[in-house]
Amino acid sequence: MPGINFIAAVAVSNTSYGYDRRYKYVISPELEETVKVGVRVLVPFGKGNRKRVALVIRIDKADGSDLSKLKPVRSVIDSEPLINDEMLSLMMWLRETTLCTYFEAFKTLIPLGLSVNFAQKYRIAVHEDSDGSAGNPLISSQASDALKLLKEDFSAIDYTAQKIIDELLESGFLIESDSVKRRKKDDTIKMVKLTEKFRNGELPDNMTPKQRVVAGLLAESETASLKEVTYLCGVTAAVIKNMIKAGIAEEYEYEFINIPDTEKDCDIDSLLLSELQQKVYNSAVEIISQNKPSASLLHGITGSGKTLVFAKLIQHILNTGRTVIMLIPEISLTPQTVRRFQSLFGNLVSVIHSSLSITHRLNEYKRIKLGQARIVVGTRSAVFAPLLDIGLIIMDEEGERTYKSESSPRYNAREIAKKRCVYHNAALLMASATPSIESYYYAKTGRYNLLEMNKRYSQEILPAVRIIDLASEGFYGSSAIFSEALVDEINTNLERKEQTILLLNRRGFYTFISCPDCKTPVTCPNCSIPLTYHKTNNKLLCHYCGHSQERAEKCPSCGKENLKYMGFGTQKAEDEISGLFPGARILRMDADSTCSRYSYEKNFKAFENHEYDIMLGTQMIAKGLDFPDVTLVGALSVDKALFTGDFRSYERTFSLITQVVGRCGRSEKQGRAYIQTFVPEHYVLNLASEQDYTGFYEQEIAIRKALTFPPFCDTCVLEFSSVFSNKADDASKVFLQMMQDKINKEKLKLPLRVIGPSRCLYEKINGKYRYKIIIKCINSIEFRQFISGLYKLTFSKKEFAAVSTYLDINGDIGL
């Protein structure tokens, strides 16, 4: 190809992992200036040369290359690169470590508002010599008939008939055009300024008096918005339009970035650190001042004042001219955390989480990219914030499972944070009262720096905890939810006008419906999971696939009208509290009551203002919240969490109880906590009630070592799902055989322990049967190359034709 100087390597959208690679395209001379690394382009793809959106990831010189088989880049979508060198490197790393596609990794890095919708559109060409194509020898009769239909009704042809469309295009009867629309356009303001010709006196001065007023304003201010001009000059928009027609003024659009109206109302210098906090702060500053990548774990008990240490460290980083990311695990924690930091740092704080509108999220992204925000607070996705010169990344409640993505790319925010700290020579500070076993192990063995705060701020006393044995209180077969002791304590709190938090990690009203005659539960038709009854809409709901149906009166299996509704969720608990304490003001916080965008902020603020006496909710209320007047916590039912089938179930139960107990007694009044259980002797519950993380860690690390679980290995879960149970089962067995064959053929020495294949705990989800293989391994480059090669083969083998396969490294293995 003469005149071709450069070749673009691109990542093409909508490719499966088996066919995802860098595809090469030639860059025509007229596109050389606009095709850059990091911009999106349109390219012809596949045998049919259908156009697809692609991301340019590399540009090479065409020196002596054989270009005869390369297709050209058709057009450029973006005027400037969407990602910089760091983000491009991160995208490559994501693909290599999580085994996702290039474009899946790319879309994770940018807000949804920057994504584009692409469509190819067609219109009929106008031919002067013919009003139709009937009998035209240039096209087939089938294409001729299609063109006739198109002239009558353009929607009458199925555009999947690609051969007909291609024939009509080639013969000139159809004209093709590309439609690329961004998901969210930039917010702009119409601006007005005087033209150069008018400023230079090249136009006759025949303006009206009103136009002279406008010209005077624009001469003085150079430019102003259309609204400002009409308001300040007391004229209508028609006056300005006439000036534009006369060439006196010109109109243009200016991109508008909304800056939140938040002012600092608290002087951070007035906040004093305790002796223990100051010691931890000094140690962290010393680590940060080395200006090299580091990872530290701050283990501080609940109420020890970790947030104040964070704020002081952020101030230190800002004073050095660098930027900060503050990660929190739950959207429910965002309002209170953001309020704290905005009161200290004003509109330097930006917020990123998935509940923001597309417009709001795009606006925050632009504020960060322009340097208007230097502190980013948010959930998992905030780790990708386009900050420059990051000095510190804080990861609060670092052991929470919400930091791990459950969809491709299945990344852990902790690993992304480490990667970014390496790039920026920054410090990573992970913090929690209940760190993950892996992180605490790495801190104890020297991989991380260990910082500890083992006393509460202002020397508050830890809550007094009592474990209630429900069996001894006659709760077996009982429909009661609250023990007598907890009821008495709630009543005491109401009398004292103190607040109470009640944890129940189950939504709905009744959680299990069964027939006592045939012993069959009422399950979801799409999932092998019992339906939950929700009283608010009188429906049976599946919490996995979203299926809903009318309340059942007859058994679906035997037809008898004797169904028993059992179990209890937050809705039933709310009903029972209302019956026990008719005058109490109750706030229920679960996924059903927090659907609106600002519900967390509104409800938590109302609880903080004493508009409610009791807050009842799921795990969203268990961590990170600080309400000084909460003096009582009740954990209503935690036993199920101990036995979920995942090796992390003890760790998560310990964390949940420890954290929710820590929500009370955070001021001068001592807190009380009551844990209701049928297994009161269980060591996890007892250690959690004592807030003894070290004791729990010693027990858990011994079990992990004996059974070879993280941190003594990594895990890789492969899941095979299909609408046909036998196909999913067969595919899992074929994959296992593929592993064995590859190891034997290539004489590989990888350390592997394979468990399965076996049915998943919940065999059927959303209409698909699921089987899994669990691999204990070392997450090395060699292992990823091994498993990636096998994974790619599944896209070409017939045994996987009706099967969906995914893999997850160091994710959950239980369900």
Side-chain angles (χ1 to χ4, degrees), residues 139-333:
I139 58 176
S140 66
S141 59
Q142 191 177 14
S144 179
D145 292 341
L147 189 59
K148 270 187 178 181
L149 281 172
L150 286 171
K151 288 183 176 181
E152 296 171 8
D153 180 4
F154 213 80
S155 63
I157 186 170
D158 179 5
Y159 290 127
T160 59
Q162 197 61 54
K163 287 184 179 179
I164 295 175
I165 291 177
D166 290 342
E167 185 178 351
L168 292 171
L169 287 169
E170 189 175 340
S171 304
F173 286 100
L174 278 185
I175 296 174
E176 181 184 61
S177 62
D178 300 327
S179 171
V180 180
K181 292 183 179 179
R182 214 174 80 183
R183 184 75 177 263
K184 175 69 179 69
K185 293 182 179 180
D186 294 326
D187 291 326
T188 57
I189 301 174
K190 287 186 177 181
M191 304 291 289
V192 184
K193 64 180 179 179
L194 297 174
T195 62
E196 285 295 318
K197 283 187 176 183
F198 180 80
R199 287 179 179 276
N200 296 334
E202 299 175 22
L203 297 177
D205 187 359
N206 54 0
M207 291 186 291
T208 66
K210 289 184 177 180
Q211 289 176 341
R212 288 185 189 281
V213 174
V214 173
L217 173 68
L218 295 178
E220 182 180 348
S221 63
E222 292 191 0
T223 184
S225 71
L226 186 62
K227 284 186 177 180
E228 287 173 330
V229 174
T230 56
Y231 176 75
L232 294 174
C233 298
V235 300
T236 64
V239 173
I240 300 166
K241 285 183 180 179
N242 289 331
M243 292 177 71
I244 293 170
K245 287 179 183 178
I248 300 169
E250 60 182 312
E251 187 181 64
Y252 66 98
E253 290 191 339
Y254 173 79
E255 185 178 354
F256 172 71
I257 306 294
N258 183 34
I259 299 175
D261 184 19
T262 54
E263 294 184 3
K264 293 189 287 185
D265 57 15
C266 180
D267 181 9
I268 191 170
D269 292 327
S270 67
L271 302 178
L272 301 178
L273 297 175
S274 68
E275 183 179 345
L276 188 55
Q277 287 174 320
Q278 188 67 48
K279 181 180 177 182
V280 168
Y281 170 81
N282 292 341
S283 298
V285 168
E286 184 179 348
I287 294 166
I288 292 167
S289 64
Q290 296 173 14
N291 288 323
K292 63 181 183 181
S294 65
S296 303
L297 175 66
L298 171 54
H299 174 220
I301 64 170
T302 57
S304 58
K306 295 184 287 294
T307 303
L308 182 53
V309 175
F310 298 158
K312 291 286 189 177
L313 288 173
I314 290 171
Q315 181 192 35
H316 171 78
I317 293 294
L318 294 182
N319 289 341
T320 64
R322 307 186 78 185
T323 59
V324 181
I325 296 175
M326 168 83 187
L327 298 176
I328 51 180
E330 299 268 2
I331 294 174
S332 61
L333 299 181

Side-chain angles (χ1 to χ4, degrees), residues 211 276 396 608 642 783:
Q211 289 176 341
L276 188 55
D396 197 17
E608 187 176 3
L642 285 167
F783 171 75

